[in-house]
Structure formats: C-alpha cells, structure tokens
Amino acid sequence: MIASREIRITLPTWVGGFLSGWPEIFADDPTAMGLAVALARENVRQGGGPFGAVLLETASGRLAGVGINQVVASHCSLAHAELVAIGSAQQALGGYDLSQIVPGGGTLVSSAEPCAMCLGAIPWAGIGRLVCGARDQDARAAGFDEGDKPADWALAYARRGIAVTRDCLRAPAAAVLADYADSGGVIYGPRPG
C-alpha cells in the first residue's frame, strides 16, 4: 500500500533569506553562476548536497527559480538542483513549457554539468540555454555517478536549439564538490550492477 500519493519537494527556509543578498536581475553569466555556486556551498553547510542551480528569464536576466540538491533531505532521487530550479520556476509561472511562458525563454545556470537524468529533463522543460560550472569529470572525481551520457551531449543540445556554455567559474564550482567529498559528504546515485 502506498502511504502517500503526493510528491513534495520544498526549498528550505534558509534559501529565502540567502537570496535577499542577491540581485533579482543578473547581467551576466558569472554573476548568475556565482549564485548557483554560493547556493551549492551553503547547501553543504546546511547539511545538503553540493549542487546549486538558478533559472533566469533569458531576455531580462530576471531570476525565475532556484534549486539546491535535496536528494537526501527529501528522500527523493529526483530532487537534483537543476530539477528543483526548473520545477520552482514552472510552478511559480504556471506552466510546464518554459519556452512558452518565460519571456525570451529560460536559461538554466547550474553549478555542474547535468547528469543523465537532468540531461533529459532540460529539453522537456523548454530550456533554451544552459550554463555549466564544474565538468562531468569534476563530479565523478568527487565520487558521483553522473550516469550514461553521450560524449557529444552539448552538440546534441545545439541540434535542438539549446545553447551550452561550459566552464563558467569552473574552479570554484569544482571546489564545492571536492570539499564535499573530502569532508565525508554522502555520495548518492546509482549503484553498479
């Protein structure tokens, strides 16, 4: 018997106060990535996973959603930072296809390249642009299994009309992952066969 038929992933209360020190409109990728990395670092400090993401309205740079990794806290493997940021924007804006409801489309700024699960979710959500900090190999070096991803995933996104910018503040983003692993943080994800 299923105890609950409701899936609920909510941002912790500290996120609201944390965002008060940041602009509502981001003029460039490094500033937006600064927030994604800061969210990841603060989430680790608060006992969560080492990933952060923000979703912006591409045309204006306005903040539309934020996410932190909540896999362990929510007991839900879907609660990756990118998916939480996408979901928070979709629910706040009232639609599942961000390309239809966000002026100029949406830009997802993630502290790390997407794992296999998030890689599939980004086009489905109507994201037109992705900005990544840490590389796949940085996440794997910290012990995370990023899943089976095609080596040319960024080209596949380009064929779909999704622009990809990599290595934006890569060093500080990768440092959050390494610090998390070094401190004994919970490494979660698929287990080999």
Side-chain angles (χ1 to χ4, degrees):
M1 173 184 255
I2 298 174
S4 172
R5 297 187 187 272
E6 185 175 338
I7 297 170
R8 192 177 312 173
I9 300 169
T10 57
L11 291 169
T13 55
W14 65 261
V15 173
F18 189 83
L19 292 176
S20 67
W22 291 85
E24 289 183 29
I25 297 177
F26 291 82
D28 57 35
D29 292 345
T31 305
M33 184 60 72
L35 175 56
V37 171
L39 282 165
R41 187 165 295 287
E42 181 62 18
N43 196 42
V44 170
R45 199 179 78 69
Q46 296 283 341
F51 301 93
V54 300
L55 199 139
L56 306 174
E57 295 178 0
T58 301
S60 67
R62 182 175 306 282
L63 185 64
V66 299
I68 52 171
N69 186 283
Q70 295 182 270
V71 169
V72 174
S74 69
H75 309 290
C76 182
S77 62
L78 303 175
H80 288 205
E82 299 94 329
L83 299 182
V84 173
I86 290 168
S88 70
Q90 289 169 326
Q91 290 185 348
L93 297 170
Y96 62 88
D97 184 349
L98 294 170
S99 69
Q100 299 298 310
I101 60 172
V102 174
T107 295
L108 181 63
V109 180
S110 178
S111 66
E113 290 181 346
C115 70
M117 179 172 64
C118 295
L119 192 69
I122 289 167
W124 279 79
I127 302 296
R129 185 163 180 261
L130 173 64
V131 180
C132 307
R135 287 271 181 140
D136 180 88
Q137 58 260 40
D138 301 323
R140 290 181 193 273
F144 288 97
D145 181 343
E146 296 298 279
D148 297 326
K149 297 175 10 179
D152 64 346
W153 66 266
L155 288 173
Y157 268 11
R159 286 191 296 273
R160 287 180 163 268
I162 302 170
V164 176
T165 300
R166 297 166 107 172
D167 299 333
C168 182
L169 301 183
R170 180 180 179 186
V176 174
L177 295 166
D179 292 348
Y180 180 80
D182 291 346
S183 70
V186 176
I187 304 296
Y188 41 85
R191 301 289 178 246

